């Protein structure tokens, strides 16, 4: 099954920001496009707005004037839904209400031809439930674009329970012909991106709610150590706290209030207060004129230790050993079975975040996961009230000698980056095991849909087979609510034999 022919008319129903964006994508790809909106006059306003955006593309040299003129000639406002009768594809981008969408598609089914592909751009509703209102739900599919649709490459092609393979394939190939990067997905709450991204927000909020660190520090660690383009607090301010919380609540409810997707009470209070982020001037941060952005906590300069004793290879943080030597700090190596720690001159230990707490041990400082320890500009350290001040100072000075800013947070098991990445990996393995999508499509979706530096499976391969499972298992022992319980899929992955190496790892 191939993509729709460019001569085939495409209709977009709903002319808000997303509807206009989808229409522009189809138009620039070369299709005749019909715009329809239930509110009189909106379709013509939307056509004018799209025309203005095409003009800007010409001004920026991204489109020729001739191509613009041809595209505008293919764009037609449709006053009545009957004007969509000859369309080969109708994409809906109306209000996120099941009854509204079902009524629309019932009406469309009576108008369009039997071979017309019907698609919803829903981000939170069940594709199966919307299509359930149709006499022929096999031709119904989800085409979930990301905002702004003309710029973001990802499209989740969602097959409902009754979607025909031919319909899903045609939708997939059409999205690819439009210059997008489609990923195939089963109809599951949140699809790929909104399902697997939940821990990025949830764990940042959880650290804040337990007074482990403030938003500015958490965001800085996620960016400067984790390699994420934005931190969770600034990103949700950009998205809109009401929008982000609504998606989280929808996924949580759709999974029968699964504790792994529990919404944040702190975010709920923010929404209730009307502080919705940039669009209202206040969210986690203050965007009003004259307001100062809070600075992340950064430790004062400390003296680097003269030497460290390396017990083991430090696992995912192994590149630190070479960096420490390059900084002029002596590294004494000791063979230790399963050793993954540095011993400081104080006798205290510096350990990569593993899901345990500092207070459980005599004198331990934890350090957080980094995407790339050489490239990271900030490292978070975690200590308890019982940690020796000398040990914390030596740990701080060591990372400062490596050119890093240091943020000291509370005694947070799994810290910030490590616990978020571990949970993202877990949800990804669980999704594959349940037939939601392939590993490749999940990695693609998370990199393109939310700009993650690595996809979950790319993270997993880099960190080692058992890393995420071990961290979550330790977290689960300390918080037995079920929030951190590793999935069966992750358990199987952690203990499966890697046949390429002939051993478990």
């Amino acid at each position: 099954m191939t993509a729709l022919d460019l001569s085939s008319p495409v209709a977009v129903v709903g002319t808000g920001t997303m509807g206009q964006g989808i229409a522009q994508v189809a138009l620039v790809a070369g299709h005749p496009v019909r715009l329809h909106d239930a509110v009189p006059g909106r379709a013509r306003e939307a056509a004018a707005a799209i025309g203005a955006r095409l003009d800007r593309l010409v001004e920026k040299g991204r489109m020729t004037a001739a191509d613009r003129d041809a595209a505008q000639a293919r764009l037609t406002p449709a006053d009545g839904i009957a004007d969509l009768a000859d369309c080969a594809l109708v994409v809906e981008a109306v209000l996120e209400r099941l009854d509204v969408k079902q009524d629309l598609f019932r009406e469309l089914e009576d108008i369009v031809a039997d071979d017309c592909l019907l698609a919803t751009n829903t981000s939170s509703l069940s594709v199966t439930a919307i299509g359930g209102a149709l006499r022929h739900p096999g031709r119904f599919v989800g085409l979930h674009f990301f905002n702004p649709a003309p710029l973001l490459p990802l499209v989740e092609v969602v097959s409902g329970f009754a979607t025909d393979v031919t319909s899903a394939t045609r939708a997939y190939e059409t999205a690819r012909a439009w210059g997008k990067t489609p990923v195939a997905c089963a109809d599951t709450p949140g699809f790929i991106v909104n399902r697997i991204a939940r821990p990025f927000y949830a764990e940042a909020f959880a650290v804040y709610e337990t007074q482990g660190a403030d938003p500015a520090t958490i965001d800085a660690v996620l960016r400067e150590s984790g390699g994420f383009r934005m931190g969770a607090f600034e990103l949700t301010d950009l998205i809109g706290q009401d929008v982000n919380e609504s998606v989280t609540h929808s996924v949580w409810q759709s999974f029968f209030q699964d504790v792994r997707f529990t919404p944040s009470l702190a975010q709920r209070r923010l929404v209730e207060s009307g502080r919705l982020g940039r669009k209202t001037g206040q969210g986690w941060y203050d965007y009003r004129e004259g307001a100062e952005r809070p600075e992340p906590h950064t430790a004062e300069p400390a003296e680097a230790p003269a030497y460290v004793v390396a017990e083991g290879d430090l696992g995912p943080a192994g590149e630190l050993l070479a960096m420490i030597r390059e900084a002029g700090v002596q590294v004494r190596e000791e063979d230790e079975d399963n050793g993954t720690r540095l011993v400081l001159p104080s006798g205290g230990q510096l350990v990569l975040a593993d899901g345990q707490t500092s207070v459980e041990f005599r004198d331990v400082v934890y350090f957080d996961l980094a995407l790339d320890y050489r490239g990271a500009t900030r490292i978070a350290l975690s200590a308890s009230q019982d940690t020796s001040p000398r040990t914390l100072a030596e740990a701080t000075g060591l990372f400062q000698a490596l050119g890093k800013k240091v943020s000291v947070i509370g005694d947070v098991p799994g810290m910030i980056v490590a616990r978020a990445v571990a949970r993202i990996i877990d949800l990804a393995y669980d999704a594959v095991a349940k037939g939601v999508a392939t590993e490749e499509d999940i990695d693609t979706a998370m990199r393109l849909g939310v700009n993650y530096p690595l996809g979950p499976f790319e993270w997993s391969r880099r960190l080692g087979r058992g890393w995420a499972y071990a961290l979550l298992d330790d977290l689960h022992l300390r918080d037995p609510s079920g929030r951190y319980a590793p999935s069966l899929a992750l358990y199987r992955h952690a203990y499966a034999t890697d046949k390429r190496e002939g051993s478990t790892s």
Side-chain angles (χ1 to χ4, degrees), residues 187 209 274 349 352 399 487:
D187 186 20
E209 288 175 330
Q349 298 178 23
L352 176 62
F399 279 105
S487 66

Side-chain angles (χ1 to χ4, degrees), residues 113-443:
D114 290 344
D115 61 351
C116 176
L117 190 63
L118 300 177
T120 175
N121 185 58
T122 186
S123 60
S124 61
L125 300 176
S126 163
V127 171
T128 301
I130 299 170
L134 299 176
R135 295 190 302 275
H136 303 292
R139 60 164 157 177
F140 187 73
V141 67
L143 275 178
H144 181 218
F145 288 78
F146 288 75
N147 193 29
L151 297 180
L152 295 187
L154 185 69
V155 177
E156 292 176 319
V157 181
V158 186
S159 293
F161 187 78
T163 302
D164 292 335
V165 173
T166 53
S167 298
T169 303
R170 171 158 282 187
Y172 184 98
E173 293 299 334
T174 298
R176 184 155 61 179
W178 291 357
K180 296 302 180 182
T181 303
V183 292
C185 175
D187 186 20
T188 183
F191 309 142
I192 297 174
V193 172
N194 281 331
R195 171 179 177 153
I196 294 175
R198 290 352 291 161
F200 177 74
Y201 312 109
E203 295 312 310
F205 297 162
V207 172
Y208 167 74
E209 288 175 330
T210 56
Q211 301 185 61
D214 60 278
T217 300
I218 296 169
D219 277 353
V221 171
L222 286 168
R223 288 193 314 270
E224 299 172 39
S225 182
F228 293 94
R229 187 168 296 183
M230 298 180 74
F233 296 90
E234 59 191 343
L235 180 54
T236 52
D237 269 355
L238 178 64
I239 295 168
Q241 297 302 330
D242 52 339
V243 174
N244 182 261
E245 195 222 18
S246 176
V247 172
T248 299
H249 194 271
S250 173
V251 172
W252 176 62
Q253 288 283 22
S254 298
F255 275 116
F256 308 105
Q257 300 186 358
D258 186 330
V259 68
R260 295 176 301 166
F261 301 101
T262 301
S264 162
L265 181 59
Q267 188 181 38
R268 174 92 291 261
R269 293 292 179 258
L270 202 65
V271 172
E272 289 174 338
S273 72
R275 298 185 177 189
L276 307 183
R278 289 179 178 273
K279 61 187 177 184
T280 61
Q282 286 181 287
W284 296 111
Y285 300 109
D286 192 339
Y287 301 92
R288 294 173 297 182
E289 187 175 354
E292 292 186 10
R293 180 72 174 261
E295 293 293 324
H297 172 270
T298 302
E300 294 295 322
E303 186 175 347
Y307 69 89
V308 295
V309 179
E311 295 184 351
D313 62 4
L314 297 190
E319 64 185 320
L320 284 175
L321 296 179
M323 294 169 60
I324 292 169
R325 291 189 180 95
E326 291 163 13
V329 178
Q330 182 184 3
V331 177
R332 304 172 185 173
E333 296 192 48
E334 292 187 2
D335 291 333
E336 281 284 333
D337 290 337
N338 300 318
T340 55
R341 64 187 66 85
L342 294 174
V343 180
L344 300 163
S346 66
Q349 298 178 23
L350 186 58
V351 182
L352 176 62
D354 60 6
Q356 301 182 85
T357 56
S358 178
V359 75
E360 299 171 49
F361 305 97
R362 184 185 66 83
D363 198 11
V364 167
V365 172
Y366 282 103
F367 65 95
D368 207 351
L369 180 67
L371 171 70
D372 169 13
Y373 283 99
R374 285 193 179 275
T377 57
R378 182 179 299 271
I379 294 292
L381 302 180
S382 174
S384 75
Q385 66 271 22
D386 297 330
T387 302
S388 159
R390 179 185 170 189
T391 295
L392 182 57
E394 288 176 345
T396 300
L398 178 64
F399 279 105
Q400 289 174 339
L402 304 184
K404 316 300 180 188
K405 296 177 182 177
V406 174
S407 292
V408 179
I409 68 171
D411 191 10
V412 178
M415 301 193 68
I416 297 170
V417 179
R419 69 195 289 180
V421 168
R423 287 207 57 218
I424 288 167
I425 289 171
D426 182 49
L427 290 187
Y429 275 100
D430 185 54
V432 169
K434 292 176 178 173
V436 173
T438 65
E439 291 187 8
E440 182 181 2
D441 276 357
I442 288 174
D443 275 353

Side-chain angles (χ1 to χ4, degrees), residues 422 465-474 486-487 490-492 494-495:
R465 180 179 289 278
W467 179 85
Y469 176 82
L471 187 144
L472 290 175
D473 196 40
D474 277 337
S487 66
L490 188 64
Y491 174 85
R492 285 172 170 156
Y495 285 98

Side-chain angles (χ1 to χ4, degrees), residues 7-45:
S7 63
S8 302
V10 171
V12 177
V13 180
T15 58
T17 300
M18 185 57 77
Q20 290 182 32
I22 296 169
Q24 181 177 331
V25 170
L27 190 66
V28 171
H31 288 272
V33 173
R34 313 265 171 78
L35 279 174
H36 175 70
D37 198 288
V39 178
R42 286 273 178 87
R44 296 186 183 281
E45 292 173 4

